Amino acid sequence: MSAPPSPPGPGWRPRLRRAIVLRHDPVRDQDLLVMPERIVVLNEEAAAVVRLCDGERTVGDIVTELTGTWPAAPVAADVSGFLVRIRDEGWVG
Amino acid sequence: MSAVAPPWAMLAELTHSCPLHCSYCSNPVELIARDRELNTGQWVRVMEDAAAIGVVHAHLSGGEPLLRPDLTAIVAAAARAGVYTQLVTSGAGLTPARLAELAAAGLHSVQLSVQDATAAASDRIAGGRWFATKERAAALVREADLPLGLNVVLHRHNLDTVGEIIELGASWGAERVELANTQFYGWAMRNRDRLLPSRDQLRRAEETVRAWRERLAGRMELIWVVPDYFDGVAKPCMGGWGAISLTVAPDGRVLPCPGAYVLPGLAFPDVREHSLRWIWEESAAFNAYRGTAWMSGPCAGCARRDTDFGGCRCQAYALTGDAGRTDPACSLSPDHHLIQAIATGDRPGGDAGPVANRRMPRARSGHGGEGG
Ligand code: SF4
Ligand code: SF4
């Protein structure tokens, strides 16, 4: 689970780690990232990014897709920064 | 949503039976016999009801949950309901076929208990030759590509080898090693004088863990569950009474915490008689120490009361006879001298006397508890 040391390039295809589940919690009406010993409550934007971490899409694909959803936001910088953070946590690889 | 926030986690004690005999086991001294256990259909309903009231995580524990022949059906029910499952096991009974079946049913992760770093020491604590079984179980879990956590209960007899235990975790491919200093409930309370470490031992172990944590950063997570008796601080037991988690006993009783069996005056409601929702939100047992209104003494006026919830009710009861008092682990408690006397070794018994390895009533042997 050691993270690659360099910042990921545009060709990186982030994938949620196998034992980690992204799910909507109907009781709390929130998106959750569920792991063996931890539950993380995601905000809407974070959940939208994680949902696209399928190991198929590149970071570029994810940014393009989300730019349509949030035209006013600096999507590229936000998404890459977020992905690096959750990679360092070991949630995506 | 009602005024009571929904629970996040459920500890499902599927059985109190266990082939191991750890003296630190947190199962109640009165272990629940197999003929009083919930049946498959009842556990399936518990999983469905738990999901419906907001439970996200189920820890399938015991005792040894693999002793339930219907474990796969229970895992499948949880998975269908969207509940994330972690098997908490001693490793006894984990065959390749069994693990494949559980993984196919949707099991998410496995937490394996280990007693010490070597076979000889580990087997002595577990009361049987189990170390090789555990090593095989760890390899199976890794081969199945499930995340593996190790759970080690620490006490006087293994604290000095905590570095070796961490290395063992790394060599077995664990993603996480939880180093849990013994909590003195159940069998562990009965054996307290034999298990309690010295302050020096704890300090050394803590330093070792700190050094390893730096070395392993990003590769293996190390969790250090702080000891109760030594630092003068009360721990927020279970994140507060009826706040985050519930425990379902093998016989269907529901408790706010696995240490609560012994608390007097609380009728723990049964899943066969009440809905889990009513139990969580309305039952007297879950409301007895919920929030802060029940507090008196130093807690009631204390700035930390919303952070540590006055500490552990079971510990307050075990040491003072009154579950409603401030946890004596807290240096502000009028009973703190009780803990200090124990922690400084001023205790009767000392090393004398046999360890009470846990046994089931009647012919059955067993164990249980968070050790798993
Ligand atoms: S007095 Fe009670 S609330 Fe305050 S720190 Fe101690 S245990 Fe916690
Ligand atoms: S349930 Fe108790 S006796 Fe069995 S392995 Fe866990 S801690 Fe040991």
Side-chain angles (χ1 to χ4, degrees), chain B residues 67-123:
Chain B
L67 287 176
R68 291 279 310 207
D70 55 356
L71 182 59
T72 301
I74 297 169
V75 167
R80 269 198 311 275
V83 175
Y84 192 99
T85 48
Q86 168 153 273
L87 177 68
V88 183
T89 177
S90 67
L94 194 67
T95 60
R98 197 85 196 278
L99 186 59
E101 202 181 274
L102 291 167
L107 181 70
H108 291 93
S109 81
V110 178
Q111 193 189 76
L112 181 67
S113 70
V114 172
Q115 281 68 22
D116 206 335
T118 64
S122 189
D123 291 348

Side-chain angles (χ1 to χ4, degrees), chain B residues 14-80:
Chain B
L14 298 178
T15 177
H16 276 168
S17 289
C18 177
L20 279 65
H21 305 286
C22 309
S23 56
Y24 59 71
C25 186
S26 60
N27 274 175
V29 173
E30 302 267 334
L31 297 169
I32 293 163
R34 296 215 73 170
D35 56 9
R36 288 170 51 209
E37 289 177 4
L38 295 181
N39 63 30
T40 312
Q42 287 161 339
W43 274 116
V44 166
R45 227 200 62 214
V46 166
M47 293 299 161
E48 293 163 356
D49 291 355
I53 64 168
V55 167
V56 172
H57 242 167
H59 299 267
L60 307 176
S61 180
E64 176 48 67
L66 289 165
L67 287 176
R68 291 279 310 207
D70 55 356
L71 182 59
T72 301
I74 297 169
V75 167
R80 269 198 311 275

Side-chain angles (χ1 to χ4, degrees), chain B:
Chain B
M1 214 185 292
S2 75
V4 178
W8 289 100
M10 173 167 71
L11 176 66
E13 290 187 344
L14 298 178
T15 177
H16 276 168
S17 289
C18 177
L20 279 65
H21 305 286
C22 309
S23 56
Y24 59 71
C25 186
S26 60
N27 274 175
V29 173
E30 302 267 334
L31 297 169
I32 293 163
R34 296 215 73 170
D35 56 9
R36 288 170 51 209
E37 289 177 4
L38 295 181
N39 63 30
T40 312
Q42 287 161 339
W43 274 116
V44 166
R45 227 200 62 214
V46 166
M47 293 299 161
E48 293 163 356
D49 291 355
I53 64 168
V55 167
V56 172
H57 242 167
H59 299 267
L60 307 176
S61 180
E64 176 48 67
L66 289 165
L67 287 176
R68 291 279 310 207
D70 55 356
L71 182 59
T72 301
I74 297 169
V75 167
R80 269 198 311 275
V83 175
Y84 192 99
T85 48
Q86 168 153 273
L87 177 68
V88 183
T89 177
S90 67
L94 194 67
T95 60
R98 197 85 196 278
L99 186 59
E101 202 181 274
L102 291 167
L107 181 70
H108 291 93
S109 81
V110 178
Q111 193 189 76
L112 181 67
S113 70
V114 172
Q115 281 68 22
D116 206 335
T118 64
S122 189
D123 291 348
R124 193 160 49 239
I125 297 168
R129 304 184 133 212
W130 294 104
F131 188 78
T133 307
K134 289 168 185 292
E135 188 168 11
R136 265 196 309 277
L140 282 177
V141 173
R142 296 310 300 135
E143 279 159 30
D145 201 20
L146 289 175
L148 171 69
L150 295 192
N151 168 355
V152 190
V153 176
L154 297 175
H155 43 78
R156 183 192 302 185
H157 308 289
N158 62 6
L159 263 166
D160 295 333
T161 52
V162 74
E164 287 86 338
I165 293 172
I166 294 167
E167 283 180 81
L168 181 85
S171 75
W172 284 8
E175 293 184 5
R176 188 177 2 89
V177 175
E178 186 177 316
L179 302 159
N181 283 282
T182 306
Q183 298 188 295
F184 294 104
Y185 316 117
W187 290 85
M189 182 69 180
R190 180 173 277 200
N191 291 309
R192 187 182 64 195
D193 291 344
R194 299 287 306 241
L195 294 169
L196 204 66
S198 73
R199 199 177 282 274
D200 255 9
Q201 250 188 318
L202 274 171
R203 200 172 28 232
R204 281 196 308 270
E206 215 164 347
E207 269 161 34
T208 308
V209 172
R210 198 171 307 132
W212 273 103
R213 190 174 280 146
E214 277 170 30
R215 223 172 303 167
L216 293 170
R219 283 188 288 149
M220 194 172 90
E221 192 181 353
L222 284 180
I223 298 157
W224 170 258
V225 179
V226 295
D228 257 342
Y229 281 27
F230 292 88
D231 55 9
V233 176
K235 289 188 300 177
C237 183
M238 306 297 288
W241 185 272
I244 295 194
S245 173
L246 53 93
T247 296
V248 181
D251 61 359
R253 278 179 298 161
V254 189
L255 301 86
C257 142
Y261 287 95
V262 293
L263 296 185
L266 295 173
F268 292 114
D270 188 320
V271 291
R272 285 168 294 199
E273 287 156 27
H274 301 280
S275 73
L276 216 46
R277 180 181 302 280
W278 180 88
I279 292 173
W280 177 257
E281 291 175 359
E282 321 245 343
S283 71
F286 273 79
N287 282 303
Y289 304 110
R290 190 175 251 150
T292 55
W294 58 273
M295 290 177 176
S296 60
C299 294
C302 179
R304 285 184 48 81
R305 65 173 184 228
D306 294 305
T307 315
D308 67 21
F309 316 103
C312 171
R313 298 303 89 227
C314 306
Q315 183 148 282
Y317 173 70
L319 295 172
T320 74
D322 178 356
R325 285 176 79 79
T326 294
D327 185 339
C330 174
S331 58
L332 302 173
S333 153
D335 306 307
H336 187 55
H337 63 275
L338 295 172
I339 284 265
Q340 280 177 309
I342 299 162
T344 52
D346 175 18
R347 53 186 185 270
D351 258 340
V355 173
N357 283 97
R358 44 156 296 165
R359 302 278 162 189
M360 287 296 277
R362 294 179 288 124
R364 294 256 178 212
S365 69
H367 88 149
E370 293 162 291

Side-chain angles (χ1 to χ4, degrees), chain A residues 1-3 17-21 23 25 27-30 32 34-39 41 88, chain B residues 1 6-8 52 54 56-57 82 84 86 108-109 111 144-147 175-176 218-219 221:
Chain A
M1 63 182 281
S2 66
R17 287 216 2 254
R18 171 163 141 57
I20 302 183
V21 175
R23 58 165 288 206
D25 178 345
V27 173
R28 298 173 182 80
D29 193 19
Q30 278 172 326
L32 307 177
V34 191
M35 318 175 201
E37 298 289 342
R38 196 179 310 170
I39 301 166
V41 179
D88 292 347
Chain B
M1 214 185 292
W8 289 100
V56 172
H57 242 167
Y84 192 99
Q86 168 153 273
H108 291 93
S109 81
Q111 193 189 76
D145 201 20
L146 289 175
E175 293 184 5
R176 188 177 2 89
R219 283 188 288 149
E221 192 181 353

Side-chain angles (χ1 to χ4, degrees), chain A residues 11-13 19-20 25 27 29 33 41-42 45 52-54 58 65 70-71 78 83-84 87 91:
Chain A
W12 178 34
R13 300 170 197 270
I20 302 183
D25 178 345
V27 173
D29 193 19
L33 214 45
V41 179
L42 299 176
E45 291 78 12
L52 299 178
C53 293
D54 55 4
T58 64
E65 250 176 79
W70 308 313
D78 287 359
L83 283 172
V84 169
R87 182 201 62 179
W91 302 344

